């Protein structure tokens, strides 16, 4: 049962000057490809938004032409690319992001993916780097099928000076039918330190030899060389940095991805200026199913519809169109606008606790709205239990020091 309500505007506004766009305001990525910014001819190339001109050539031999899929609720209304094969993927043969000879190159890789199926034993390459035009090998970021209930495990395969590559797996399985925002960092002493992250859960490891790169040929959606298959799922965004990002920079890029794709990740979210805009410590009891509507120009972030759990929110009364659809005519009036919504982790089962006279019951879920500046009218859609005929539904505001009665 879907119920729609509207929140009225708050009254305050500020104006900030935006600089050149970068994910989370973290400069300067070597490659930044997004499915919501693919240009007029995705069948020709996937445009690089980093400013480096490292556009990815579209490979589609003997297959249907590439097209961007419309964003839907499963993808948090963000568009995506799918249907990767051994001869259907994207690549750039000469990015200049690392030297074209063997070197110990620190790297940071981000990816946003969605999977509803993964075969045991497959190592679907999300993105990789290599020295030849035929492979997208090591370092490479993949999902490795485990045969369990999840879509697999995040796998970073690093290359060393001689012999086989080195594998580092994230111990937390990637869930099926969900968005995964992941990153891998290679750096530290002798380029042997590795950090992997899956939706805010990090894992660190030390390689037994230094990680190297042999060239600057980048691929998205497929890779071979020792291990790798076509990626079995959808890819929304890939970002490469040719350096080891520090902790604050990782948080800022991760926050950008979490806000865009509705992923509940870190305990703190940062804007593109490095300021904390949401903190779990300040929202005690309301840290589940966090999502946001956002405008942050420096990150090219303009989220007009999003949702988690039993609630979706939008700037227009439209819960089917993609976030970037022309039908979405309403946007935030000013830059650096954030509206966060989270809940108390309870189910939407009916409860009689804290119920005032005249009301039969309420859902156990409670939501908290956290906004920093002005926003226009916001439309809310709730997925509620089936109610008896004639039942009326009310949206009730509660202050922290009072119950609903």
């Amino acid at each position: 049962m879907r119920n729609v309500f509207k929140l009225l505007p708050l009254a305050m506004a500020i104006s900030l000057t935006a600089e050149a766009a970068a994910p989370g305001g973290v400069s300067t990525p070597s490659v930044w490809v997004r499915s919501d910014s693919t240009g007029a001819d995705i069948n020709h190339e996937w445009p690089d938004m980093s400013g480096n001109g490292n556009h990815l050539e579209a490979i589609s031999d003997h297959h249907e032409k590439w097209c961007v899929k419309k964003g839907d609720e499963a993808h948090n209304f963000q568009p995506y690319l799918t249907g990767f094969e051994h001869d259907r993927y994207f690549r750039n043969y000469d990015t200049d992001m690392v030297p074209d000879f063997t070197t110990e190159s620190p790297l940071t890789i981000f990816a946003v993916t969605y999977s509803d199926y993964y075969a045991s034993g497959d190592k679907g390459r999300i993105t990789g780097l290599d020295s030849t035009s035929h492979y997208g090998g090591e370092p490479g970021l993949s999902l490795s099928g485990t045969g369990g209930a999840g879509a697999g495990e995040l796998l970073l395969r690093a290359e060393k000076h001689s012999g086989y590559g080195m594998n580092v797996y994230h111990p937390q399985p990637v869930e099926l039918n969900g968005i995964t925002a992941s990153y891998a960092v290679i750096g530290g002493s002798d380029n042997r330190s590795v950090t992997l992250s899956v939706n805010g859960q990090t894992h660190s490891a030390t390689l037994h030899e230094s990680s190297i790169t042999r060239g600057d040929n980048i691929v998205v959606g497929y890779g071979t060389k020792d291990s790798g298959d076509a990626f079995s799922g959808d890819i929304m965004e890939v970002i490469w940095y040719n350096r080891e990002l520090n902790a604050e920079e990782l948080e800022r890029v991760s926050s950008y991805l979490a806000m865009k794709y509705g992923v509940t990740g870190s305990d703190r979210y940062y804007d593109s200026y490095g300021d904390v805009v949401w903190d779990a410590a300040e929202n005690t009891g309301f840290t589940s199913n966090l999502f946001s509507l956002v405008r942050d120009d420096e990150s090219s972030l303009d989220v007009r519809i999003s949702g988690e759990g039993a609630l979706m929110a939008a700037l227009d009364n439209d819960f089917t169109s993609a976030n970037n659809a022309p039908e979405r005519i309403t946007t935030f009036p000013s830059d650096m606008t954030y509206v966060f919504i989270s809940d108390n982790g309870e189910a939407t089962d009916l409860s009689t606790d804290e119920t005032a006279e005249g009301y039969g019951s309420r859902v156990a879920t409670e939501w908290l709205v956290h906004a920093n500046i002005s926003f226009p009218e916001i439309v809310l859609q709730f997925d509620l239990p089936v109610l008896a005929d004639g039942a009326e539904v009310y949206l009730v505001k509660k202050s922290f020091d009072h119950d609903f009665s």
Side-chain angles (χ1 to χ4, degrees), residues 22-354:
V26 177
S27 299
T28 301
S30 301
V31 176
W32 181 19
V33 289
R34 316 186 323 244
S35 293
D36 61 342
S37 185
T38 55
D41 187 9
I42 185 62
N43 197 56
H44 173 64
E45 67 180 18
W46 194 352
D48 170 32
M49 307 307 294
S50 71
N52 296 314
N54 287 323
H55 312 304
L56 305 186
E57 179 186 355
I59 308 297
S60 57
D61 298 344
H62 313 298
H63 287 278
E64 65 178 289
K65 292 184 176 181
W66 282 104
C67 65
V68 179
K69 300 297 183 181
K70 173 186 173 182
D72 53 22
E73 183 176 350
H75 298 80
N76 204 43
F77 300 94
Q78 298 291 338
Y80 59 96
L81 290 163
T82 194
F84 299 94
E85 301 285 350
H86 73 279
D87 53 0
R88 191 171 190 266
Y89 54 92
F90 294 87
R91 77 176 319 123
N92 184 305
Y93 298 102
D94 187 19
T95 65
D96 289 329
M97 61 180 289
V98 296
D100 59 2
F101 52 84
T102 300
T103 183
E104 296 176 3
S105 304
L107 293 166
T108 305
I109 314 164
F110 293 87
V112 181
T113 58
Y114 177 96
S115 298
D116 58 11
Y117 166 79
Y118 226 82
S120 179
D122 280 359
K123 293 180 175 63
R125 182 61 46 84
I126 302 169
T127 186
L129 196 64
D130 215 288
S131 58
T132 74
S133 61
H134 303 292
Y135 302 110
E138 287 73 45
L141 196 61
S142 306
L143 283 186
S144 177
T146 60
E153 295 174 318
L154 184 70
L155 164 64
L156 173 69
R157 186 167 178 84
E159 188 160 11
K160 57 185 179 179
H161 286 279
S162 62
Y164 291 102
M166 301 171 286
N167 289 343
V168 179
Y169 291 88
H170 195 292
Q172 175 181 305
V174 175
E175 65 175 310
L176 286 173
N177 303 310
I179 296 174
T180 299
S182 58
Y183 69 71
V185 183
I186 302 173
S189 178
D190 298 324
N191 218 41
R192 295 174 56 212
S193 297
V194 169
T195 301
L196 299 181
S197 176
V198 173
N199 290 349
Q201 302 299 312
T202 60
H203 169 70
S204 298
T206 301
L207 302 172
H208 61 272
E209 293 187 33
S210 298
S211 174
I212 65 166
T213 58
R214 298 185 186 277
D216 59 356
N217 173 43
I218 193 171
V219 68
V220 171
Y222 176 67
T224 57
K225 189 73 181 295
D226 293 344
S227 67
D229 304 286
F231 182 72
S232 179
D234 312 327
I235 297 178
M236 284 90 92
E237 192 152 346
V238 172
I239 309 166
W240 284 76
Y241 288 85
N242 61 355
R243 61 188 178 90
E244 178 184 5
L245 298 193
N246 62 37
E248 179 186 344
E249 291 172 323
L250 290 171
E251 290 279 11
R252 287 169 63 179
V253 179
S254 296
S255 295
Y256 153 76
L257 295 175
M259 289 185 284
K260 183 174 182 177
Y261 295 102
V263 177
T264 302
S266 172
D267 288 339
R268 287 184 177 178
Y269 284 15
Y270 295 80
D271 65 15
S272 60
Y273 290 95
D275 296 326
V276 177
V277 291
W278 188 89
D279 192 334
E282 298 178 357
N283 296 273
T284 304
F286 292 89
T287 57
S288 297
N289 296 314
L290 175 66
F291 67 95
S292 56
L293 303 178
V294 183
R295 177 179 166 186
D296 185 337
D297 293 348
E298 191 170 352
S299 284
S300 293
L301 198 55
D302 184 9
V303 180
R304 306 182 187 189
I305 180 170
S306 188
E308 272 288 311
L311 176 61
M312 290 191 292
L315 299 184
D316 295 291
N317 190 4
D318 177 355
F319 291 93
T320 57
S321 299
N323 184 77
N324 62 346
E327 294 85 353
R328 296 204 174 277
I329 59 175
T330 305
T331 185
F332 287 110
S334 59
D335 185 19
M336 306 303 284
T337 303
Y338 298 83
V339 179
F340 290 91
I341 302 177
S342 54
D343 67 43
N344 61 351
E346 297 291 335
T348 55
D349 299 336
L350 296 179
S351 170
T352 57
D353 293 342
E354 299 182 4

